[in-house]
Amino acid sequence: MSAIGLFTGACPRVRAALPGTDLLALLVRLMRAELQSQSDPFALADALILVPNRRSIPALISAFAAAGHTGLMPAIRPLGDIEDDPDVWGAEPLDFELLPAIDPLRRRLELARLVRAKDHSETGFADPARALAVADDLCRLLDSAAAGGGEVDWGRLDGLVQDQRFAAHWEKSLQFLRIVTQIWPQHLAQEGLADPAQRRHALLEQLAVRWRANPPQTPVIIVGSTGSVAGVRALMAEAAKLPMGCVLLPGLDGRLDDAAWAAIDAQHPQFALKNSLEALGLHRLDIPILGEDGLAAQRAARQVLMREALAPADATADWLLRLREAGGADFAAQGAQGLTLIEAASPDEEANCVALLLREALETPDRTAALVTPDMGLARRVDAKLARWGLAISASGGHGLLDSPRGGLLALLVQMCVDEGDPLALAGLLCHPLANFGLEAQSRPDPARNLLAQLRGPRRHGDWQSLMALLGEGGGELVTAIGAMLEVLRLPDVGQADLSDWAKRLSEAMQLCAGEAAFDGADGEAAAQLLRGLAENGQAIGACEVHSGARLINVLMRGQILANATDSEPRLAIWGPLEARLQARDLLILGGLNEGVWPGPPPEEGLLNRAMRAQLGLPPPEARLGLAAHDFAQLACAPQVVLTRTQRSD
């Protein structure tokens, strides 16, 4: 262990770990060595540990368990979801006098209503699904502005096109942005609410002010954050100065030469860390690197290879010279030990390879493995293939509601609101395992068969009533039950549907279809949460035509993520890059390394161009690429790594 620990040395105490380090295991080992004593086995219970998000909390708890910790756990709080748990934060509640945040769904719908009003005034047409997509762009813009720490000067919008000689069409875009610069703040003020991103920033800043005025005497550690958000950087600055405070940065490459460090741009792995160190007034060479004693030659060589592979383009002129000075071909071969590349012919073949590698890891006792990918399609494929061997393993990011049984049932009911005689929706409903309509199994097969027979071939009916006329007397209780459900689903005015009323009808129809099992499980909870949110806030977007409303509900379902399963195989995992940043496994599989997947492209920016963002003080869109590159560089330095990609996709 390094001679410098978490709480030794002068302030500010900012520490770092090299890429490829098991950051949480290192943290637990150092905390136990420095804080825990035989006379006080509960010394760690006074500590507060701040991790990037909620998904990191179970990993840290597991790290304590793996280290044999048996006392009370430290308080572990997520920085990214700070507003979700405002009153249970360490030993003291966060009792700041801040306005409550607007509900996220209500925020999206109300912004969509403003977009619809703008569209209708200009074109006479206002599609709610399109308005929701634009509202999501506005939400990202608001979040980006808050991440910059309130340094965005929206007043510069006026005259920006003329001053910078941009094309005239940008003037229309800037006029549209008055929704977020003027109308939205006024609306929130009238409602007595705050924008979630702005409130999160204010909460972090006020906590930093509190720590400055009354420094906690108990241990406070910020671990795993790169400081890409201004509020987190402010908190880092104060935590590093506390009597028992420390900031532990992930994957800082202090060995990068000065020319390469100066050339770092937004797409470089070290970009966020460079900004954080500049904000903290620290030089990278002054940051102690923890846990590097006895660094294996193979791991050191791997880190050099990754550093050179991801170096800024302007710093690659002497690539061959630097590698030759480092040791040449033998050194490169040493760095490549334990690094494997698999190029699959198709996404399905890639998933097969990954599933086999994960399954093979279980053949060795105590061996652990994880797939790390931002590609949820690959994660779902691997999950399904492992299920063939009876292995339950769920992606840490969860699955979408539409991919679940209850989400599928809800989608069928939404379609039947649009067209109650839709043959595909009716056939799907009849075959759905949850749609029993409260009937015994033996009473369903024959009526269902008769009804399915009428649905085959060219459509010969219009609505449900005309289908019943074709069916005659062959329906029985099943047809009666479906008719009763459709009666509940029929909207009073299909020309102008109210989403709040629609959500209540869908909730009742779900219960008529599936009974008490309608909202069981993680997918049932997610469906119920969405329907409750629409019942409470659906009116915010205004009345919709039934076809448009159906598209809108499907879009909302697509973005609803299910909670993670708790009964998965403990030695295997599927992680997103952010939570993998803090953890380690014996085998890491970095999957989906295709262009446009990892890293994903910056979000399309139709409201502001890059020059405008720079003028306003917004962070560049490429900063996301830098964070993705940081996570890749961190993970690729692990001892045993398999890189997978497909030669053909889509």
Side-chain angles (χ1 to χ4, degrees):
M1 185 177 66
S2 175
I4 297 178
L6 296 172
F7 307 108
T8 57
C11 294
R13 296 190 195 90
V14 178
R15 312 289 187 249
L18 288 172
T21 303
D22 187 342
L23 199 62
L24 297 184
L26 173 65
L27 172 66
V28 170
R29 186 170 72 249
L30 293 174
M31 287 186 68
R32 284 167 59 85
E34 297 181 40
L35 297 178
Q36 197 166 14
S37 64
Q38 296 295 332
S39 59
D40 186 7
F42 303 112
L44 269 67
D46 293 332
L48 172 64
I49 305 175
L50 307 181
V51 294
N53 59 18
R54 286 187 180 275
R55 297 180 195 170
S56 306
I57 295 178
L60 182 52
I61 294 173
S62 298
F64 273 103
H69 180 70
T70 56
L72 292 176
M73 291 287 294
I76 306 173
R77 298 291 177 257
L79 286 168
D81 307 301
I82 183 174
E83 72 281 357
D84 293 340
D85 194 10
D87 299 321
V88 191
W89 230 68
E92 299 179 358
L94 292 180
D95 53 354
F96 300 122
E97 295 182 359
L98 295 174
L99 293 173
I102 188 171
D103 178 83
L105 178 59
R106 180 181 173 187
R107 177 200 196 199
R108 296 175 69 192
L109 294 178
E110 291 196 349
L111 280 170
R113 175 177 56 80
L114 296 176
V115 173
R116 290 186 73 196
K118 184 77 172 175
D119 286 349
H120 192 271
S121 66
E122 294 178 352
T123 66
F125 178 73
D127 178 51
R130 177 198 173 278
L132 185 68
V134 177
D136 288 340
D137 288 340
L138 295 177
C139 288
R140 282 191 289 269
L141 186 62
L142 289 167
D143 293 345
S144 182
E151 299 175 358
V152 176
D153 184 3
W154 295 116
R156 295 181 186 175
L157 282 175
D158 296 328
L160 187 60
V161 171
Q162 291 79 8
D163 294 345
Q164 301 299 319
R165 298 182 181 179
F166 292 129
H169 73 271
W170 284 109
E171 183 66 41
K172 186 175 181 181
S173 179
L174 299 186
Q175 292 293 330
F176 178 79
L177 284 179
R178 297 189 187 280
I179 289 177
V180 295
T181 61
Q182 297 179 7
I183 301 174
W184 184 243
Q186 293 171 2
H187 173 71
L188 291 177
Q190 292 172 356
E191 297 290 329
L193 297 170
D195 190 82
Q198 290 289 350
R199 187 180 189 277
R200 185 186 310 122
H201 173 72
L203 197 59
L204 290 168
E205 282 204 328
Q206 291 202 24
L207 182 60
V209 171
R210 173 180 290 180
W211 283 357
R212 190 182 310 131
N214 299 292
Q217 302 302 307
T218 52
V220 176
I221 305 166
I222 297 179
V223 60
S225 175
T226 59
S228 58
V229 176
V232 174
R233 290 197 295 270
L235 208 59
M236 283 179 170
E238 296 306 319
K241 301 173 188 174
L242 295 177
M244 291 288 286
C246 180
V247 175
L248 184 54
L249 301 175
L252 176 66
D253 189 355
R255 294 183 176 87
L256 208 61
D257 62 72
D258 291 340
W261 184 264
I264 286 175
D265 60 7
Q267 301 184 50
H268 192 272
Q270 299 291 306
F271 177 73
L273 292 172
K274 179 183 179 182
N275 283 349
S276 295
L277 293 181
E278 290 176 353
L280 297 175
L282 299 173
H283 194 279
R284 71 186 189 284
L285 298 180
D286 296 332
I287 306 300
I289 305 296
L290 302 183
E292 66 172 334
D293 293 353
L295 190 66
Q298 178 265 345
R299 183 175 161 204
R302 176 77 60 76
Q303 290 170 357
V304 173
L305 286 182
M306 287 300 130
R307 180 188 309 136
E308 296 301 333
L310 298 172
D314 295 340
T316 58
D318 56 348
W319 238 349
L320 297 179
L321 175 62
R322 289 206 301 270
L323 286 175
R324 189 159 53 245
E325 291 176 346
D330 292 340
F331 178 80
Q334 186 180 38
Q337 288 179 6
L339 188 65
T340 304
L341 172 65
I342 296 176
E343 291 189 304
S346 66
D348 187 67
E349 185 176 285
E350 181 184 17
N352 276 326
C353 294
V354 172
L356 286 168
L357 287 168
L358 293 173
R359 176 65 182 84
E360 183 185 35
L362 295 181
E363 299 296 326
T364 304
D366 300 325
R367 182 170 172 80
T368 59
L371 165 65
V372 183
T373 180
D375 184 356
M376 288 299 100
L378 174 62
R380 286 194 295 270
R381 283 192 180 97
V382 172
D383 191 0
K385 293 180 184 299
L386 288 171
R388 298 175 182 174
W389 293 306
L391 294 174
I393 172 173
S394 296
S396 62
H399 296 311
L401 176 58
L402 270 179
D403 299 320
S404 68
R406 287 165 181 82
L409 178 59
L410 182 57
L412 290 172
L413 296 180
V414 170
Q415 179 57 29
M416 294 184 73
C417 289
V418 178
D419 178 6
E420 64 180 34
D422 186 340
L424 292 178
L426 280 169
L429 189 67
L430 291 169
C431 299
H432 200 286
L434 290 173
N436 55 36
F437 296 95
L439 303 176
E440 297 294 333
Q442 59 268 21
S443 66
R444 294 201 308 269
D446 290 339
R449 220 175 280 121
N450 294 337
L451 188 52
L452 283 170
Q454 294 297 329
L455 299 175
R456 294 192 182 99
R459 182 168 177 172
R460 296 172 295 161
H461 64 278
D463 57 9
W464 174 254
Q465 297 300 329
S466 60
L467 177 60
M468 290 304 94
L470 291 174
L471 186 63
E473 300 296 325
E477 294 182 23
L478 178 63
V479 169
T480 302
I482 294 177
M485 182 206 69
L486 289 175
E487 189 64 34
V488 169
L489 281 179
R490 286 192 186 100
L491 299 170
D493 182 3
V494 296
Q496 295 294 317
D498 181 341
L499 285 186
S500 295
D501 176 58
W502 198 346
K504 295 172 185 175
R505 291 173 179 273
L506 286 169
S507 180
E508 186 178 348
M510 283 280 288
Q511 295 178 56
L512 288 175
C513 281
E516 295 181 356
F519 298 110
D520 287 350
D523 56 343
E525 182 179 347
Q529 180 182 357
L530 175 61
L531 292 175
R532 280 197 304 270
L534 282 175
E536 294 172 4
N537 304 306
Q539 292 178 338
I541 197 172
C544 308
E545 293 184 359
V546 65
H547 290 84
S548 301
R551 287 201 307 274
L552 182 67
I553 293 175
N554 284 325
V555 169
L556 292 172
M557 279 198 288
R558 201 169 290 120
Q560 192 82 0
I561 303 300
L562 307 185
N564 303 323
T566 58
D567 56 348
S568 57
E569 167 59 48
R571 289 198 284 150
L572 303 180
I574 300 177
W575 293 327
L578 180 57
E579 53 267 31
R581 178 195 299 173
L582 306 184
Q583 304 178 69
R585 291 287 171 120
D586 298 326
L587 172 66
L588 278 181
I589 305 168
L590 309 186
L593 291 171
N594 283 68
E595 184 176 356
V597 178
W598 192 347
E604 294 183 7
E605 182 59 84
L607 302 176
L608 294 169
N609 60 33
R610 283 170 173 76
M612 289 176 178
R613 291 180 68 93
Q615 286 288 325
L616 294 172
L618 288 165
E622 292 81 8
R624 291 175 176 265
L625 301 183
L627 292 174
H630 174 273
D631 292 333
F632 173 80
Q634 173 91 345
L635 298 165
C637 288
Q640 295 292 324
V641 178
V642 177
L643 311 176
T644 72
R645 63 179 299 273
T646 59
Q647 295 176 330
R648 183 179 66 253
S649 180
D650 296 333

